[in-house]
Amino acid sequence: CNDGSPAVLYFRPYAGEANKDKWIILLNGGGGCGTGQDCANRWCSVDTNFDADNMSTENASGSLNGGGVLERSGDNPFGNYNQVQVRYCSSDAWTGQALGVDVSAKDPKTGGDVRFQMDFAGSYVFEAMLVALRGDGPERLIYSRTKTEMPDLDEANVVVLAGGSAGGA
């Protein structure tokens, strides 16, 4: 994430054996920042509807209620697929590959000069997600509620990549 905190993904396994090889991967959106001042304003929620929680996973919850394309309902064609939602916290439309970027701005609250470092690592987060879903990481993901091991993405017959805003880019 922008503050160096680790990326977070949420996983829910398929429902029904016929869906074991079907996946939907949702990349969250959430705007971005392109200058030091934009990023400082974003962090402090000044002149934007985003804040530090969109740049960090320090306050990320341990679970989410699946809604929208992840809702488990008969109306949703993706509802019983393996479901993955990736939290967006890199402010770079999932394309960044820059770590430790020195940034300067005016503090949005005090007006004083501030200098800080940020990571723009959305591309790395996306690549790490693929490693985890393909089972190439150090350990397989386990769905905590049912102790179900996540299937291997390499064995998928259907993969839907979805997203809105930055996640749709």
Side-chain angles (χ1 to χ4, degrees):
C1 296
N2 291 133
D3 68 344
S5 59
V8 171
L9 71 81
Y10 299 94
F11 161 72
R12 180 165 54 178
Y14 63 94
E17 197 62 29
N19 296 301
K20 185 175 184 174
D21 61 355
K22 296 176 183 172
W23 290 77
I24 182 162
I25 300 168
L26 178 64
L27 300 179
N28 282 354
C33 57
T35 68
Q37 193 62 54
D38 287 344
C39 293
N41 289 353
R42 181 178 171 84
W43 185 266
C44 295
S45 193
V46 172
D47 297 328
T48 178
N49 57 345
F50 301 106
D51 59 19
D53 281 343
N54 298 100
M55 303 171 81
S56 175
T57 57
E58 289 300 315
N59 295 320
S61 67
S63 65
L64 295 177
N65 292 326
V69 296
L70 303 180
E71 186 172 340
R72 292 259 199 244
S73 73
D75 300 14
N76 182 4
F78 314 113
N80 292 325
Y81 285 19
N82 290 291
Q83 299 176 341
V84 176
Q85 184 172 1
V86 189
R87 186 177 167 110
Y88 177 62
C89 59
S90 58
S91 305
D92 59 10
W94 298 96
T95 62
Q97 294 184 332
L99 303 176
V101 176
D102 289 315
V103 180
S104 58
K106 296 285 185 189
D107 185 305
K109 303 289 184 178
T110 68
D113 292 334
V114 292
R115 294 185 56 81
F116 50 98
Q117 282 195 339
M118 293 184 64
D119 293 337
F120 297 94
S123 176
Y124 298 136
V125 171
F126 185 83
E127 291 171 18
M129 177 222 30
L130 289 176
V131 167
L133 299 182
R134 296 180 70 204
D136 296 339
E139 58 188 59
R140 302 287 303 158
L141 297 178
I142 305 291
Y143 184 59
S144 60
R145 290 185 184 168
T146 61
K147 307 299 184 224
T148 303
E149 185 175 283
M150 181 184 66
D152 190 325
L153 184 64
D154 286 336
E155 297 171 8
N157 284 321
V158 175
V159 177
V160 176
L161 185 60
S165 186

